[in-house]
Amino acid sequence: MVAARPRALSASYLTDTLPTLLPPIFEQVQHTTANHRKNLVALRKLHESCATIVEPSTKKGGGIKVVGEKAFNGLFIEMVNRVLPIKKGVAVADRVVKFVASYVAYSTEQDAANRPEGEDEEMETPAARFVVKLLKHLLSGMEAKDKNVRFRVTLLTVSMINGLGEMDDDLYVLLRKSLLERARDKEAAVRVQAALGLAKLQSGEDEEDLEEGQEPLSEVLLDLLRYDPAAEVRRAALYNLPRTPATLPFILARTRDVDPILRRTVYHGSLSSAALPDSRILSIAQREEVVRNGLGDREGSVRKAAAGMLGDWLDQSGGELVDFLSRFDVVSSQVAEEALLSVFVTRSEIFEAVEFGDDYWTSLTPDKAFLARDEARLEESIPVVTSLAFRIQDEFNKLVSAVNDEDSGESNDANELAFVVGELLRLAVNLDYADEIGRRKMFQLAREMISQETLPESLIPRCLDVLSKIANGERDLIRVVVDVVTELRAGEGEEDEAPAEQASVYSVTPRRRKSVMPRFDMSDPEARMKAALVDLRCLAICISLLERVNSNLQDNSAFHGLLPDLIIPAVRNKEEPALRDQGLICLGLCCMIDSKMAAQSLGLFVQQLTAADDHLKVKVAQIVFDLLMVQDIQTLVSMTMPVEKVIELVRHVLSQDAPEVQAVACEGVAKLMLAGMISDESILQSLVLLYFSPETAENQALRQCLTYFLPIYCYSSPQNQRRMLSIFIETFEMLAQLCEEMEDEQEMPPLAQMGLMMVDWLDPQKAVEREGVQSDTEIHLDLAVVILKGILTEASKEARKALVSFVGKLNLPEPEATEDWKVRGAMLLLSNIRSKRPLADAASRNALNRFDAAMLKKYPAELEGFDEEAFAAEEREEIKELVAFVDAVEATDGDAASEAGSSRRKKTSSSRRGVSRETSMAPSEADDAATAAGSDEEDAEDADEGTPAPRRSAPRSKRMEVVREEENDEEDDDDEDEDEDVESMLNDSDVSI
């Protein structure tokens, strides 16, 4: 049955009745959404009633005019226009927008429901014409100047998209183009709505139908996700991106986004079990990356979301921990351990259900061995010592077979077996060795394993851990390791018969040498190569040993033979760089526990800081700074250089070109300065300059270290803040000059930002409160004097503007905690700035005036009736110096005389520390300083030399020569002479080895 058509109304209805019915509907819907459904029905009836009002057309050909529709559409659009200027966040406007979008969807649904069967779907209806009219009206306002209008128009358009139904191609193209333009709008709120609209259009877009040059909407959303500066826009793009192999890498990259809400959303939304039913869609590398980023995030909410994601992954594994671990690379990654610990915290009942029975230990896989790492429940189920020793032996025999198998070679099987053996050795360290039989068995096994050339080098430290646990003290451990090293280096000597019971225990029978003297025939290249490989292995064993002992080598005679036979020859070896590198590391570890050897060997390590390659320099730099931390500095350098030259040595290491070496040097210097072992101001200045230098912009390790060190160093002690204050203006001038000379492509913070960071480091209110240590509350007042001096004498206009901006950030001390002359001295400087060097720009003058007013308000008693002449006549030495400083400044026409690249101001204060203007220190300078170490006067002069900055423009010499007191000959660069020096230093010295 066809519904009856509404009765036609007269034209007066449009002018008399419609204006009284439509506005009240909009009035009601803006207060609450509860009445929207009722008003949708009423508005639809009103719309249908208006559609019945038509008039005959006066145009040729006849027809009718839909005057009713036109009146309704016009009044409706007028109601909508009243909402458009309203800013974002107003609830009444948001309800109207929601109602309009709901009416568009409701009208489209009603048309579809009332369409007779068989009628053409493309046939126009009043509602369809209304939707097109409204949409075109909104699209015409997409480029409005008012940002509120652009936001409301885009919001309305996007809200209507789902209810538009079918639209013609021209309207779709116009809609798509308009939203693409709004995706580049300068307002983030508009771009958010555009991203939502593009996401809705994306679902119906076929990339094959795009014209040439048209960008797919998915690519637009990806660009918004990756590059948009507003976090809310990136979130909108993330919410609406499909999870496909093409988009997943970009979604996973957002786990490192700067916005914590977006990072959390990735874990809660994009990587949740609802969005990602199976985590194996991701590659192992991708899984480990998201887990590492999530569990290591600084925000607790992000870490919690990542832990929830791991719980979902465990559920996908059916609660099986072994299956869960198979989703990670347990052999070569640390992420699996972090993930397992997270699961133990959130799902503790899962671990309680794991059974470590006999079958578990007889069929070990890397995942099972890894799961057994946790000792919490293994005390009840771990095998006894003897049983575990046999299990380790069986797995090691499998490993030997895999390594020796020509087909497997470097196969994953060998790597996995090595991992299993390593995990079992890790367990063995924590066993109770009260059982003497089990102790002997495990000791024998660990000793024989390190005696085998087939043992992977990564397992040597694990074997040493077991031996150090079982051995009767460090002396016994050193004796055992020395025996093993001696056997390995003995060559193909005759073997003793192994005991029968021992042969039955091990698959590889241990060899007992009758003599340790025979070596390989060194005239044979193959024999030399074999000897080098054996020595490399022996050095690796010695390194693992030295990392685990603390007793002085002088008390362990068993180790003495290895120094001249193994370590020193390796250090002198010129043909095998790898052997020399390992020898230097081994020697450095020896020096860590022997102060006399450290003093004799320091010169060698310093030479290597210039002669070695960058990779070895990193190790050598670590050794040098570790020695400075562990050994007494005066004793350490006594045979190499005067103790005053340690500063030159540190500056030399900081001036290295290699970023890795610079990072290690910064870390070492930071430790020494935090420990109070180095307090030189020039070193502190070098670190500040390195921190801000554009040349270290890509050195994240260095920047991370200094980001932590510099504020901690200053806040930890008032004396440290005083040191930073003493270099403030000098460092600021260097940074200003660096900014002037900086090339466009180099990255460097603005000059004002760098200065403000230094001002913040000097804030006495941020100093750490410690018992017995009182904060220096006057330091910012002293800094004010320093800044005002800089404003008075600085030539660069930009530098002066930056200095003026600092005075408003100072925390002035209370009057009772302040010396009166400092307050009056600051006022004297302020007065002379206005009279001699007035500021040109109004902003700087206002800032200086505000500081003047703050001083008068803070110190009314001290500044009441202030007289410059009376102040200058006082007999205090500091006042005389300040007055002399002011008198030396010549009056100029403010900033008019300032020029880009002008020379920095001259020093006028006699108390100023002499620091070089150079921005780099070539190693040749350190060479000259060290070579001239014999004269006390020259030492004093060198101690006052300039501070190195991170820029390296001066030519570099080939090495930094460190001389001993008895060496006064000219430098000889011949390698053989250098080796003879090393030999005499290490072997002919007065060391009882």
Side-chain angles (χ1 to χ4, degrees):
M1 180 178 178
V2 180
R5 296 178 63 84
R7 185 170 59 84
L9 301 176
S10 63
S12 61
Y13 178 85
L14 302 177
T15 57
D16 299 337
T17 308
L18 181 61
T20 63
L21 297 179
L22 188 58
I25 293 178
F26 279 86
E27 174 68 22
Q28 294 179 25
V29 299
Q30 66 180 316
H31 296 300
T32 177
T33 58
N35 59 31
H36 279 197
R37 183 65 183 178
K38 176 192 72 173
N39 283 294
L40 288 175
V41 175
L43 186 59
R44 171 72 177 184
K45 290 181 178 178
L46 185 60
H47 192 180
E48 290 177 343
S49 299
C50 292
T52 61
I53 302 175
V54 295
E55 291 180 356
S57 175
T58 58
K59 293 182 179 181
K60 185 178 180 180
I64 59 173
K65 296 180 4 180
V66 287
V67 293
E69 287 185 34
K70 184 177 180 180
F72 177 86
N73 294 347
L75 188 56
F76 190 97
I77 290 175
E78 182 183 347
M79 296 295 104
V80 171
N81 286 344
R82 299 185 182 187
V83 181
L84 299 183
I86 301 178
K87 64 181 180 180
K88 176 187 176 184
V90 179
V92 291
D94 293 338
R95 296 189 190 103
V96 173
V97 169
K98 184 177 180 180
F99 175 76
V100 172
S102 299
Y103 181 69
V104 170
Y106 179 75
S107 297
T108 305
E109 292 173 0
Q110 291 297 312
D111 279 358
N114 296 332
R115 184 181 298 114
E117 295 184 5
E119 187 175 336
D120 187 2
E121 295 183 3
E122 297 182 358
M123 183 176 179
E124 285 192 349
T125 63
R129 290 190 291 271
F130 159 76
V131 170
V132 172
K133 177 74 173 178
L134 177 61
L135 183 58
K136 287 183 177 180
H137 173 73
L138 294 175
L139 293 179
S140 66
M142 284 281 191
E143 297 182 0
K145 292 184 179 180
D146 190 337
K147 64 180 181 180
N148 295 325
V149 173
R150 294 199 309 275
F151 168 72
R152 288 293 174 188
V153 165
T154 310
L155 175 62
L156 260 170
T157 303
V158 172
S159 302
M160 291 167 48
I161 288 178
N162 288 339
L164 290 177
E166 296 290 336
M167 69 177 74
D168 60 57
D169 293 342
D170 293 338
L171 185 59
Y172 173 81
V173 170
L174 179 60
L175 174 61
R176 187 180 189 274
K177 179 182 177 182
S178 299
L179 291 178
L180 285 174
E181 291 175 352
R182 290 311 96 216
R184 296 185 292 271
D185 196 279
K186 63 181 180 180
E187 295 297 326
V190 178
R191 298 199 303 274
V192 168
Q193 297 303 320
L196 296 176
L198 293 174
K200 294 178 179 180
L201 295 181
Q202 175 194 342
S203 58
E205 181 181 75
D206 189 353
E207 295 187 8
E208 295 180 357
D209 297 336
L210 294 178
E211 298 179 3
E212 185 177 355
Q214 280 189 320
E215 187 177 12
L217 295 181
S218 58
E219 294 293 333
V220 177
L221 291 174
L222 280 178
D223 287 344
L224 292 175
L225 176 66
R226 297 164 65 190
Y227 304 120
D228 197 284
E232 58 266 33
V233 179
R234 299 196 300 274
R235 288 200 294 267
L238 177 68
Y239 293 144
N240 295 280
L241 266 179
R243 281 70 174 172
T244 64
T247 61
L248 269 177
F250 303 102
I251 294 175
L252 300 183
R254 291 303 98 200
T255 58
R256 302 295 292 171
D257 196 276
V258 296
D259 179 40
I261 299 177
L262 181 56
R263 299 198 301 271
R264 184 183 66 202
T265 301
V266 175
Y267 294 98
H268 264 322
S270 302
L271 298 177
S272 64
S273 57
L276 204 67
D278 191 345
S279 63
R280 286 171 294 188
I281 294 175
L282 306 177
S283 66
I284 290 181
Q286 289 175 329
R287 290 175 227 155
E288 294 190 343
E289 179 186 6
V290 297
V291 172
R292 184 187 304 109
N293 294 343
L295 297 182
D297 199 280
R298 69 180 66 182
E299 292 289 334
S301 60
V302 180
R303 295 195 299 271
K304 184 177 180 181
M309 177 198 69
L310 288 172
D312 292 340
W313 289 8
L314 181 62
D315 293 337
Q316 294 170 12
S317 305
E320 294 291 334
L321 286 174
V322 175
D323 185 30
F324 172 75
L325 289 174
S326 67
R327 299 166 188 258
F328 302 95
D329 182 8
V330 299
V331 175
S332 58
S333 173
Q334 299 296 324
V335 176
E337 182 175 7
E338 300 173 7
L340 190 62
L341 292 176
S342 174
V343 169
F344 287 167
V345 173
T346 58
R347 306 287 184 89
S348 57
E349 71 282 357
I350 296 294
F351 187 60
E352 296 295 332
V354 179
E355 296 292 337
F356 294 96
D358 294 337
D359 294 340
Y360 187 92
W361 299 105
T362 55
S363 58
L364 283 176
T365 63
D367 298 333
K368 285 186 175 181
F370 180 87
L371 182 58
R373 178 180 294 185
D374 194 309
E375 303 92 9
R377 282 194 52 236
L378 292 179
E379 294 181 0
E380 306 173 358
S381 54
I382 195 170
V384 296
V385 176
T386 306
S387 177
L388 183 61
F390 278 106
R391 174 52 47 200
I392 295 174
Q393 175 189 319
D394 290 342
E395 297 296 333
F396 177 66
N397 291 340
K398 295 177 184 177
L399 173 61
V400 171
S401 300
V403 172
N404 291 334
D405 190 351
E406 294 181 356
D407 296 333
S408 61
E410 295 292 333
S411 66
N412 291 331
D413 292 340
N415 294 334
E416 293 178 358
L417 288 169
F419 178 80
V420 171
V421 174
E423 292 301 308
L424 293 177
L425 289 172
R426 183 196 292 264
L427 290 178
V429 175
N430 301 307
L431 296 180
D432 182 5
Y433 288 95
D435 177 15
E436 182 63 21
I437 296 176
R439 190 191 72 83
R440 290 183 179 182
K441 170 68 176 176
M442 188 66 75
F443 188 85
Q444 255 186 339
L445 174 63
R447 185 198 182 283
E448 291 303 326
M449 285 175 66
I450 63 173
S451 302
Q452 304 302 320
E453 297 180 2
T454 52
L455 180 72
E457 191 170 319
S458 61
L459 295 182
I460 292 177
R462 299 287 174 83
C463 292
L464 265 295
D465 288 336
V466 175
L467 288 175
S468 61
K469 175 69 179 291
I470 303 174
N472 297 321
E474 291 186 353
R475 184 185 296 271
D476 185 42
L477 175 64
I478 292 174
R479 180 189 57 78
V480 172
V481 172
V482 169
D483 288 345
V484 171
V485 171
T486 304
E487 290 177 12
L488 286 172
R489 303 185 74 242
E492 297 294 333
E494 296 181 11
E495 302 173 11
D496 287 339
E497 298 261 341
E501 68 275 13
Q502 196 178 50
S504 64
V505 171
Y506 300 102
S507 64
V508 181
T509 305
R511 297 175 176 176
R512 301 298 181 194
R513 311 295 183 188
K514 286 185 177 180
S515 172
V516 298
M517 295 303 297
R519 286 289 285 157
F520 299 100
D521 182 7
M522 301 308 293
S523 62
D524 183 2
E526 185 176 350
R528 285 202 306 270
M529 179 60 68
K530 186 174 182 181
L533 292 175
V534 171
D535 286 349
L536 274 175
R537 183 161 191 92
C538 293
L539 287 171
I541 295 174
C542 290
I543 290 173
S544 296
L545 169 68
L546 292 168
E547 289 173 345
R548 288 160 177 79
V549 297
N550 296 306
S551 60
N552 197 308
L553 287 184
Q554 300 293 338
D555 302 330
N556 293 278
S557 58
F559 197 83
H560 292 174
L562 293 183
L563 280 168
D565 290 345
L566 175 64
I567 299 175
I568 303 305
V571 172
R572 294 165 47 201
N573 193 302
K574 297 180 297 183
E575 299 177 353
E576 300 293 340
L579 200 60
R580 188 173 190 179
D581 295 356
Q582 291 289 85
L584 282 170
I585 295 172
C586 198
L587 179 62
L589 290 170
C590 291
C591 295
M592 293 290 291
I593 56 178
D594 195 303
S595 58
K596 196 169 185 179
M597 185 181 298
Q600 295 166 347
S601 306
L602 180 64
L604 171 67
F605 295 127
V606 174
Q607 287 176 351
Q608 293 303 313
L609 287 174
T610 301
D613 58 78
D614 291 344
H615 176 73
L616 182 58
K617 279 183 183 179
V618 173
K619 295 292 185 182
V620 174
Q622 290 175 338
I623 291 172
V624 169
F625 283 107
D626 285 346
L627 291 177
L628 291 173
M629 285 289 297
V630 173
Q631 305 292 354
D632 177 69
I633 293 181
Q634 188 166 359
T635 303
L636 176 66
V637 303
S638 59
M639 300 181 66
T640 306
M641 65 181 77
V643 69
E644 296 83 5
K645 297 301 178 184
V646 173
I647 300 302
E648 296 290 339
L649 171 62
V650 172
R651 292 168 60 187
H652 171 67
V653 185
L654 285 173
S655 67
Q656 295 292 316
D657 286 322
E660 298 82 2
V661 181
Q662 267 195 336
V664 169
C666 280
E667 183 178 349
V669 174
K671 291 178 181 178
L672 291 171
M673 296 192 74
L674 284 175
M677 302 176 72
I678 289 181
S679 57
D680 187 80
E681 295 168 356
S682 65
I683 298 297
L684 178 60
Q685 187 179 58
S686 296
L687 294 179
V688 175
L689 293 172
L690 277 173
Y691 183 53
F692 293 119
S693 172
E695 294 187 7
T696 64
E698 301 300 325
N699 194 343
Q700 295 301 319
L702 180 145
R703 287 288 179 95
Q704 182 74 15
C705 174
L706 294 181
T707 298
Y708 174 82
F709 163 73
L710 289 170
I712 292 298
Y713 176 79
C714 294
Y715 299 153
S716 62
S717 167
Q719 291 78 14
N720 293 345
Q721 286 189 319
R722 281 289 167 184
R723 293 189 188 96
M724 180 64 72
L725 175 63
S726 67
I727 67 168
F728 177 87
I729 196 66
E730 187 91 32
T731 307
F732 178 81
E733 290 173 353
M734 290 183 177
L735 292 172
Q737 183 177 2
L738 193 60
C739 287
E740 292 175 359
E741 299 173 354
M742 184 186 65
E743 298 179 1
D744 294 338
E745 65 271 10
Q746 291 178 306
E747 298 181 7
M748 193 173 183
L751 181 62
Q753 180 181 342
M754 294 186 288
L756 285 174
M757 291 180 69
M758 297 174 66
V759 172
D760 183 72
W761 296 338
L762 293 171
D763 190 349
Q765 296 184 1
K766 294 186 177 181
V768 178
E769 296 183 2
R770 292 184 296 167
E771 186 176 355
V773 178
Q774 187 174 4
S775 61
D776 190 349
T777 57
E778 281 191 310
I779 194 165
H780 260 196
L781 180 59
D782 294 338
L783 177 60
V785 173
V786 171
I787 292 174
L788 293 174
K789 284 183 177 181
I791 297 172
L792 188 59
T793 57
E794 179 59 57
S796 168
K797 179 179 179 180
E798 293 301 321
R800 293 191 80 200
K801 290 177 63 177
L803 286 171
V804 171
S805 67
F806 301 159
V807 295
K809 306 296 182 182
L810 302 179
N811 292 316
L812 299 175
E814 296 299 323
E816 58 271 13
T818 306
E819 295 185 70
D820 295 350
W821 73 269
K822 293 183 180 180
V823 177
R824 298 198 300 274
M827 192 57 63
L828 174 68
L829 291 169
L830 278 170
S831 175
N832 279 272
I833 289 173
R834 293 190 179 97
S835 61
K836 292 187 175 183
R837 295 288 309 282
L839 296 163
D841 61 298
S844 296
R845 290 197 301 272
N846 292 338
L848 206 61
N849 291 336
R850 287 194 295 270
F851 180 70
D852 191 354
M855 290 283 291
L856 292 172
K857 182 178 180 181
K858 191 81 172 182
Y859 309 107
E862 290 80 356
L863 297 176
E864 184 178 1
F866 173 66
D867 186 352
E868 292 186 20
E869 294 182 0
F871 176 71
E874 295 186 20
E875 295 298 324
R876 191 181 184 96
E877 187 65 29
E878 294 90 342
I879 296 177
K880 291 181 178 179
E881 291 181 1
L882 183 60
V883 172
F885 173 87
V886 172
D887 292 342
V889 177
E890 297 180 359
T892 61
D893 187 14
D895 294 330
S898 175
E899 296 180 2
S902 61
S903 61
R904 314 250 57 88
R905 69 177 179 85
K906 297 181 179 180
K907 308 288 184 301
T908 57
S909 175
S910 59
S911 62
R912 178 65 55 85
R913 179 176 53 83
V915 181
S916 171
R917 288 296 184 188
E918 294 177 4
T919 55
S920 66
M921 183 195 76
S924 57
E925 299 172 7
D927 296 348
D928 298 339
T931 306
S935 171
D936 292 338
E937 289 185 7
E938 291 173 355
D939 287 346
E941 292 174 2
D942 291 341
D944 291 334
E945 284 183 2
T947 303
R951 303 182 66 211
R952 295 175 288 276
S953 57
R956 295 195 173 274
S957 64
K958 54 183 174 297
R959 93 170 40 141
M960 177 181 179
E961 178 69 13
V962 180
V963 298
R964 297 168 61 180
E965 293 180 2
E966 68 270 20
E967 294 176 351
N968 295 318
D969 297 336
E970 294 183 357
E971 177 181 333
D972 189 349
D973 294 330
D974 187 81
D975 290 338
E976 294 182 1
D977 292 342
E978 179 184 337
D979 290 334
E980 291 176 1
D981 293 340
V982 174
E983 181 178 4
S984 62
M985 183 184 300
L986 299 179
N987 289 338
D988 297 341
S989 57
D990 187 20
V991 183
S992 56
I993 58 176

